[in-house]
Amino acid sequence: MRRAHHPATGELSLPEVMAALSDPLRIGLVRVLADGAERGWGELRAPVAKSTLSHHLRVLRDAGVTRTRQEGTRCFVTLRRQDLDERFPGLVGALLEAAGAENVGSGVYLAPGADSTAACP
Amino acid sequence: MRRAHHPATGELSLPEVMAALSDPLRIGLVRVLADGAERGWGELRAPVAKSTLSHHLRVLRDAGVTRTRQEGTRCFVTLRRQDLDERFPGLVGALLEAAGAENVGSGVYLAPGADSTAACP
DNA sequence: TTCGTTGTTCGTCGAATATCGAACAAGCTA
DNA sequence: TAGCTTGTTCGATATTCGACGAACAACGAA
């Protein structure tokens, strides 16, 4: 598991962020992370193969939408809400509101019983 | 020149709109149209072949971001700001603000001397 | 050390995208 | 009618994207 690259706040690219947020599955991931809690990779459920899920998380990470932290063999993901709001004020909020109203990305959810406080037992 | 298809307000798809707004050139087009004025196709200047420009305008139109009106052999384009705001409140505003701050899509501009009031002489 | 768990990476596939020039169609205009 | 203007459409390429299974790497546990 190679060290993941995270763009600095100042390096965020608007087109790249928009592209990252143009896939229903990735929108679903952002919605799941929208409460600001850190989530374990294993908590995330989506109707795709795990290699595909890894791909989508990588796209989000490379665009600077999420941050991945590694702990042992596990990964924890958070939404970079503050960084995004700093560079693109209101964008993520508008997206989340619209996605909620349209129920975009509803195929993504958290593993039943998973709790943000139990992410690191 | 076939009759263009415009999705109804209720048919707008968030992922499709996001994808349409993830290209720098298309963001530039939206910026040029952001003042709400109707612009003639011929006023639009972008560093691509006209067939490519036609393609990008079609992507925007098909996603419901712009509306195209035909008058004789000419086309006039407007931003569907109201429809977009109705479905995705704040999204276009946040995009425009961010794009302005980052100067995204600056390769797109209006033909010198073109005026919104002179679009239909 | 030997497993088992956990994500990532690789190779591949089909579909979609961006781009260009050329050909085309529709409507003015001479 | 014959041309001119204006966009659109058509191939043709090259690139990228989303998806999958399989292989791999890193770490903890037995």
Side-chain angles (χ1 to χ4, degrees):
Chain A
M1 283 189 259
R2 204 170 303 164
R3 178 56 70 226
H5 171 68
H6 292 91
T9 306
E11 293 171 351
L12 299 183
S13 149
L14 178 61
E16 194 174 352
V17 168
M18 293 294 290
L21 298 177
S22 69
D23 184 281
L25 198 145
R26 292 196 291 262
I27 291 176
L29 288 169
V30 170
R31 287 182 66 191
V32 162
L33 297 170
D35 65 359
E38 184 175 56
R39 300 294 181 179
W41 208 104
E43 293 180 69
L44 303 173
R45 293 287 180 275
V48 291
K50 70 173 183 172
S51 57
T52 304
L53 180 56
S54 181
H55 161 69
H56 284 299
L57 284 168
R58 179 195 174 96
V59 172
L60 289 172
R61 192 177 59 223
D62 287 353
V65 175
T66 60
R67 189 184 304 282
T68 296
R69 181 175 66 88
Q70 195 165 346
E71 188 176 304
T73 78
R74 295 197 188 173
C75 292
F76 297 93
V77 189
T78 51
L79 183 64
R80 293 178 64 179
R81 184 71 185 264
Q82 194 167 343
D83 293 343
L84 291 164
D85 282 348
E86 184 180 320
R87 281 289 297 263
F88 313 127
L91 186 62
V92 175
L95 175 90
L96 285 172
E97 191 164 340
E102 311 281 317
N103 207 23
V104 177
S106 56
V108 182
Y109 58 96
L110 287 175
D115 182 3
S116 65
T117 64
C120 311
Chain B
M1 283 191 258
R2 205 169 302 165
R3 180 56 70 227
H5 169 67
H6 291 91
T9 306
E11 292 171 351
L12 299 183
S13 148
L14 179 62
E16 194 174 351
V17 168
M18 292 295 290
L21 299 177
S22 69
D23 184 281
L25 198 145
R26 291 196 291 261
I27 292 176
L29 289 168
V30 170
R31 286 182 66 191
V32 162
L33 297 170
D35 64 359
E38 184 174 58
R39 299 295 181 178
W41 208 104
E43 294 179 69
L44 303 173
R45 295 287 180 274
V48 291
K50 69 172 183 173
S51 56
T52 303
L53 180 57
S54 181
H55 161 69
H56 285 297
L57 284 169
R58 179 196 174 96
V59 171
L60 289 172
R61 191 177 59 222
D62 287 353
V65 175
T66 60
R67 189 183 304 282
T68 295
R69 180 175 66 88
Q70 194 166 346
E71 188 175 304
T73 79
R74 295 197 189 174
C75 292
F76 297 92
V77 189
T78 51
L79 183 64
R80 293 178 63 179
R81 184 70 185 264
Q82 193 168 343
D83 292 343
L84 291 164
D85 282 348
E86 184 179 320
R87 281 289 297 262
F88 313 128
L91 186 63
V92 175
L95 174 89
L96 285 171
E97 191 164 341
E102 311 281 317
N103 207 24
V104 177
S106 56
V108 182
Y109 58 97
L110 286 176
D115 183 2
S116 65
T117 64
C120 310

